[in-house]
Amino acid sequence: MLAYIVRRLLLIVPTLIGIMVVNFVIVQVAPGGPVEQLIAQIQGTAVSSTARFTGSQGDAAPGAQSQSQSGGESDYRGARGLDPAFIKEIETLYGFDKPMHERFFKMMGDYLVFDFGDSFFRDQPVVQLVIDKLPVSISIGIWSTLIIYFVSIPLGIRKAVRDGSRFDYWTSTAIIVAYAAPGFLLATLLIVLFAGGGFVQWFPLRGLVSEGWAALPWYEQVLDYLWHMVLPILSIVIGGFVSLTMLTKNSFLDQINQQYVLTARAKGLTEKRVLYGHVFRNAMIIVIAGFPGMLIGILFTGAFLVEIIFSLDGLGLLGWEALIQRDYPVMFGTLYFFTLLGLVMAIVRDVTYIFVDPRIDFEARR
């Protein structure tokens, strides 16, 4: 097992570099980079007002506007009329005065020591931005994943035991209908029904905690936090039951029909002992091993629209804003970190197989 883990760890390096290269090339050739974003801000044609130009070059913007009739040429269409020297200052500020391959190698060299630089438009280190947003995304990811597992696994087992019954039919219909509704639509419906959107206002509309939360006693802080999490979590988990429930059901059905189950029953073991003493371990291999992947998916991507709808300032919203603004340090820094985390979690998933079923031996695979 140790040799297998070492091989997988070594494979992380080329895989990570390949992913970064592909994304770096695509983003570099795409129009509307950070230089164009700042020029549009100076010219007053920017779509977003969040971009800021600070530092020693920040005082140059008015001067650049006064020189807008200089007729200087630039590679950027939006920069026509600006002083070419000022455009060079912007390019130097963002590192675009160097060839693309030099920028990539410098970026990867910094990332090896987890130096992700500073955001172009937020005036903060990328690491600090991620740390600031983590509590929201972790809250959503962990609670959603745990609730989905705690509901789906017992429900899937029950459906397998009562396969073909009315209970199996109606529960399948209910979870498939819930799955068909997008998460953002469920979130909007919950707001309309329960957050003062036209019916009752039982839950808060936005945020992770209330104003003045820090001054509350610890038990009221916990209750306030849970109160704010109800609607966002519901909007995610309602549609998340179907895949895990059906996977659990099918895994149990496959194992129930195996010869060892018939043998256990022939020995006089109770149905409960057969189900949870023999079938459960084999059927849960694929279900439990998928836990890390589901957690990562919900943690960093699955709650994106929910974060926007409920004004939860998490990693999904941060990534979307970085993409719109072409905030390359945030884009590539978070891509590097989350890709590395995803590759490591894939190894954790394989190790989880061993703990669930020690008979599995990855070193024996060819």
Side-chain angles (χ1 to χ4, degrees), residues 102-129:
E102 290 186 17
R103 298 200 305 271
F104 176 78
F105 287 122
K106 182 181 184 304
M107 180 185 73
M108 293 302 295
D110 292 338
Y111 286 1
L112 287 176
V113 294
F114 292 94
D115 179 10
F116 299 114
D118 297 334
S119 168
F120 284 160
F121 302 115
R122 290 175 178 260
D123 307 323
Q124 286 183 271
V126 173
V127 173
Q128 187 60 48
L129 282 173

Side-chain angles (χ1 to χ4, degrees), residues 268-325:
L269 296 180
T270 64
E271 190 66 20
K272 185 176 181 180
R273 179 71 181 276
V274 171
L275 191 61
Y276 294 101
H278 295 272
V279 176
F280 184 82
R281 170 174 289 186
N282 295 322
M284 285 294 100
I285 292 177
I286 189 171
V287 176
I288 296 177
F291 181 86
M294 175 175 286
L295 175 60
I296 293 298
I298 295 177
L299 188 60
F300 300 123
T301 59
F304 161 63
L305 289 174
V306 172
E307 288 183 7
I308 296 178
I309 293 173
F310 288 99
S311 299
L312 300 174
D313 195 10
L315 293 173
L317 187 58
L318 174 66
W320 172 253
E321 290 178 349
L323 179 63
I324 294 299
Q325 298 173 2

Side-chain angles (χ1 to χ4, degrees), residues 209-246:
V209 294
S210 302
E211 293 184 8
W213 178 83
L216 297 174
W218 69 268
Y219 58 90
E220 291 188 13
Q221 289 181 345
V222 173
L223 292 176
D224 182 78
Y225 163 76
L226 295 175
W227 183 46
H228 281 76
M229 293 301 299
V230 169
L231 295 187
I233 296 302
L234 277 178
S235 61
I236 295 175
V237 301
I238 288 177
F241 291 135
V242 61
S243 58
L244 188 59
T245 300
M246 300 308 295

Side-chain angles (χ1 to χ4, degrees), residues 8 289-293 344-354 362:
R8 289 293 302 271
F291 181 86
V344 172
M345 293 302 289
I347 300 177
V348 173
R349 177 198 61 198
D350 291 345
V351 174
T352 306
Y353 278 115
I354 302 297
F362 285 105

